[in-house]
Amino acid sequence: MEAKESYDIIVAGAGMAGNLAAAIAAKKGRSVLLLDRNDPDNVGRKNNWGWTCGDAVAGSHLDFITSKTGISFSKPELDIKVDGVYALSPDLESKYLFDGVGYVLDRPEFERKLRDIAIKNGANYVTQFEVEGPVLEDNKVAGIFGKDKEKNHTIYKSKIVIDALGISTVLRRRLPDNKFVEKNVDIDDIESTGRYIIEFELDHEDERYYDPKNALIHLNQTMAPGGYGWVFPKSDGKMNIGLGVQKRSLDIRNKALNRNDTLQNLIDQYIAWNPVIKNKEYKLFNKDNNGKGIWSVAVRRQMESLVYDGYMGAGDSMVMPNPISAGGIGPALVSGILAGENAARAIEENDTSVKSLWQYNIDFNKEYGYKTAGLEVFRIYMQSLNNDVLNYGIKNFLSVKEANQLALGMMPELSLASKFSIALKGAKNINAFRELLYAVNKMKELNAIYMQYPKSPEEFEQWRKRVDKSMHEAKERFKPNPI
């Protein structure tokens, strides 16, 4: 079958990363095709449930967009501003503020704004197109194939394909075998997550359960094994409430408690547990068919390489969400801009080889990715703690400053001797603190490795062996233990 059309750049997926990549590359004068499987009103929708997301993003990531593009945001796409994000212990007696000012989005409105900017900049926007795989020529990506809205088999050719199709992308999974981009994601590195957007009446004020000025995260291995629950305020008496779980941790928890809980009934139990939702009476807020949904999120470091010959990945397709918070909007926005810039440059230089595209790896690592392997270690350490140790540890192991540093991928200076001044009690707690010291040292080790990210593809294999060895040691040390 002959190609229908040919472009400099095809962006597959009109979500956060895809819209920005298309907008940036088109503004630089490249011919860009932006493909989305949805109709225009539902641009970037993840699945039949809607955009299914916590919808929170740090203000610093929006500032990055503004500094790079001049684009600013306000109502309606920014639904509400929050002062920060608090993580609470299972017993609700301790909490850490671990992120600064941010926003809870009106996700459909935000996606539509980014799409409109891409179109205004010159991208050709094609809707209701189902991408089925990459076109390969001499093992190099040279376009995509799929079905248009009439279900006709269609091929589009390009010099570069930017993959923004999300975690289950067929493009990444159907790449040729190569030493750069991994094609699959381990199930232990995926969390099943779900949420409701609800309208509710406040029964009484209690900022441990609902805070109109802050986003709340509840750490509780019985309620959300291997993950956490969240309550994010929205405007006009609404909240985004949900939780995420790791499958292996949930299986261990269910077996220990002789339960058969699923993600869905855990979400319902979480809402029922929250006493500030009046009489457990609420109404699903279902504008844009976006009130309720379940989806999968990767919680590991991004793919070590984001590029292959003729191919770049951005956002969830490269498993970019923060390994601790599972927040994917920020890195998707950052990667979309950097992918668009580097794709446009490669077209101008008439070189779309992995060597030419390598600068995108370096740029993303410098801007965001350098810290994610360390955060992955902290995530698997946290998954190894049960509620009793979490309660004690959050109160005694870390200061607020140290916890904030860890959450941002910075390494606080911890010493067991100094912490003994607060009289660690019990062998389990002492051992958990020793393991925290190990985790922090491993985080430092991985941060140092990522600060030496290879400057060229030729250095990549040896560098990745160092990453794999260090991460394997951490995973062997920390096993899920939710009970």
Side-chain angles (χ1 to χ4, degrees):
M1 182 187 300
E2 292 188 5
K4 185 174 181 179
E5 295 171 34
S6 183
Y7 293 83
D8 289 335
I9 299 163
I10 292 173
V11 179
M16 297 284 190
N19 281 321
L20 275 174
I24 294 294
K27 189 172 185 178
K28 291 182 178 292
R30 312 305 167 220
S31 60
V32 177
L33 174 63
L34 175 61
L35 297 172
D36 190 17
R37 68 181 180 183
N38 301 296
D39 61 78
D41 286 341
N42 293 305
V43 58
R45 184 177 61 182
K46 291 184 178 183
N47 51 37
N48 290 334
W49 282 303
W51 288 258
T52 50
C53 181
D55 296 333
V57 63
S60 59
H61 293 130
L62 299 183
D63 292 342
F64 179 79
I65 298 176
T66 302
S67 69
K68 283 281 190 175
T69 68
I71 299 169
S72 60
F73 301 95
S74 59
K75 282 277 191 179
E77 64 270 11
L78 301 185
D79 182 54
I80 192 171
K81 181 180 179 180
V82 293
D83 294 336
V85 181
Y86 280 100
L88 287 90
S89 60
D91 61 11
L92 305 179
E93 292 185 2
S94 304
K95 65 180 181 179
Y96 288 131
L97 178 65
F98 74 88
D99 210 346
V101 171
Y103 297 87
V104 178
L105 306 179
D106 184 320
R107 180 64 176 269
E109 293 287 357
F110 196 89
E111 298 271 18
R112 290 171 193 142
K113 175 163 183 168
L114 294 183
R115 176 211 53 202
D116 290 346
I117 292 168
I119 294 171
K120 182 179 179 181
N121 285 357
N124 183 17
Y125 173 54
V126 173
T127 65
Q128 295 167 278
F129 189 96
E130 192 70 34
V131 176
E132 295 181 323
V135 173
L136 302 174
E137 294 179 357
D138 297 325
N139 269 353
K140 178 178 180 177
V141 175
I144 61 92
F145 65 90
K147 292 177 182 175
D148 65 18
K149 62 182 178 181
E150 281 82 33
K151 306 302 179 185
N152 296 317
H153 293 278
T154 305
I155 291 175
Y156 289 107
K157 299 289 288 295
S158 66
K159 298 171 185 175
I160 295 174
V161 170
I162 298 178
D163 180 359
L165 289 177
I167 187 173
S168 60
T169 170
V170 294
L171 292 177
R172 186 194 70 231
R173 290 187 287 115
R174 298 187 69 169
L175 286 174
D177 291 337
N178 70 91
K179 62 184 179 182
F180 299 110
V181 180
E182 295 175 69
K183 293 196 283 185
N184 298 303
V185 183
D186 190 286
I187 192 170
D188 283 349
D189 293 328
I190 294 175
E191 290 206 349
S192 296
T193 59
R195 64 98 170 97
Y196 293 170
I197 296 176
I198 64 173
E199 296 180 272
F200 74 105
E201 290 186 47
L202 195 65
D203 183 85
H204 61 280
E205 293 186 3
D206 190 331
E207 292 182 353
R208 298 174 302 170
Y209 298 96
Y210 171 78
D211 186 337
K213 295 183 179 180
N214 291 285
L216 304 181
I217 285 177
H218 293 113
L219 301 174
N220 190 310
Q221 292 280 46
T222 302
M223 196 158 53
Y228 61 83
W230 70 84
V231 178
F232 295 168
K234 290 181 70 67
S235 62
D236 302 322
K238 302 188 295 292
M239 70 166 68
N240 183 317
I241 182 169
L243 55 78
V245 302
Q246 182 200 46
K247 183 181 184 304
R248 185 144 67 115
S249 294
L250 177 58
D251 290 344
I252 293 169
R253 175 260 197 197
N254 278 346
K255 183 176 180 180
L257 298 179
N258 195 27
R259 301 281 292 271
N260 193 32
D261 285 319
T262 65
L263 172 62
Q264 183 60 70
N265 59 34
L266 284 175
I267 295 172
D268 292 334
Q269 291 171 32
Y270 181 52
I271 294 175
W273 165 83
N274 192 316
V276 305
I277 301 173
K278 188 172 184 178
N279 299 324
K280 300 302 164 288
E281 293 177 3
Y282 62 85
K283 183 169 68 174
L284 194 66
F285 182 76
N286 213 27
K287 179 188 175 186
D288 295 305
N289 191 32
N290 189 42
K292 172 183 176 181
I294 289 174
W295 75 105
S296 296
V297 179
V299 283
R300 52 154 280 179
R301 64 202 181 280
Q302 73 277 354
M303 296 295 183
E304 284 89 349
S305 173
L306 313 174
V307 300
Y308 176 65
D309 290 323
Y311 172 91
M312 309 170 75
D316 287 4
S317 70
M318 294 289 105
V319 296
M320 289 180 173
N322 184 303
I324 294 179
S325 68
I329 293 175
L333 298 173
V334 170
S335 66
I337 288 176
L338 298 178
E341 289 179 343
N342 279 280
R345 172 193 52 76
I347 296 298
E348 182 178 0
E349 296 173 356
N350 197 30
D351 184 357
T352 60
S353 67
V354 67
K355 187 170 185 177
S356 174
L357 299 177
W358 199 257
Q359 185 62 41
Y360 172 48
N361 277 335
I362 295 171
D363 289 350
F364 184 78
N365 185 67
K366 181 180 178 180
E367 186 62 40
Y368 186 89
Y370 69 91
K371 62 188 177 181
T372 60
L375 292 175
E376 183 178 351
V377 169
F378 193 62
R379 184 262 298 175
I380 60 176
Y381 165 72
M382 292 287 287
Q383 288 175 329
S384 74
L385 307 178
N386 62 32
N387 278 353
D388 289 340
V389 176
L390 278 172
N391 285 328
Y392 187 86
I394 291 175
K395 185 178 296 184
N396 295 294
F397 286 179
L398 299 169
S399 67
V400 172
K401 180 180 178 181
E402 289 167 343
N404 188 258
Q405 288 175 320
L406 281 171
L408 294 174
M410 301 163 60
M411 300 302 108
E413 293 299 326
L414 304 174
S415 72
L416 188 59
S418 67
K419 294 298 177 180
F420 267 119
S421 65
I422 58 172
L424 295 177
K425 297 179 181 178
K428 286 185 178 180
N429 294 324
I430 293 171
N431 183 64
F433 187 78
R434 288 196 180 102
E435 297 292 71
L436 173 62
L437 293 179
Y438 176 89
V440 170
N441 286 331
K442 183 61 70 174
M443 292 170 75
K444 290 179 180 178
E445 177 183 305
L446 281 159
N447 276 14
I449 293 172
Y450 268 79
M451 293 305 288
Q452 300 166 2
Y453 191 87
K455 296 295 189 289
S456 69
E458 291 77 19
E459 305 169 41
F460 179 69
E461 279 193 281
Q462 288 303 313
W463 175 85
R464 184 155 74 177
K465 287 178 182 178
R466 295 172 64 199
V467 175
D468 290 345
K469 179 178 182 295
S470 186
M471 190 61 68
H472 176 74
E473 290 168 351
K475 288 188 173 183
E476 286 299 303
R477 180 113 175 190
F478 301 124
K479 302 294 184 182
N481 181 33
I483 297 300

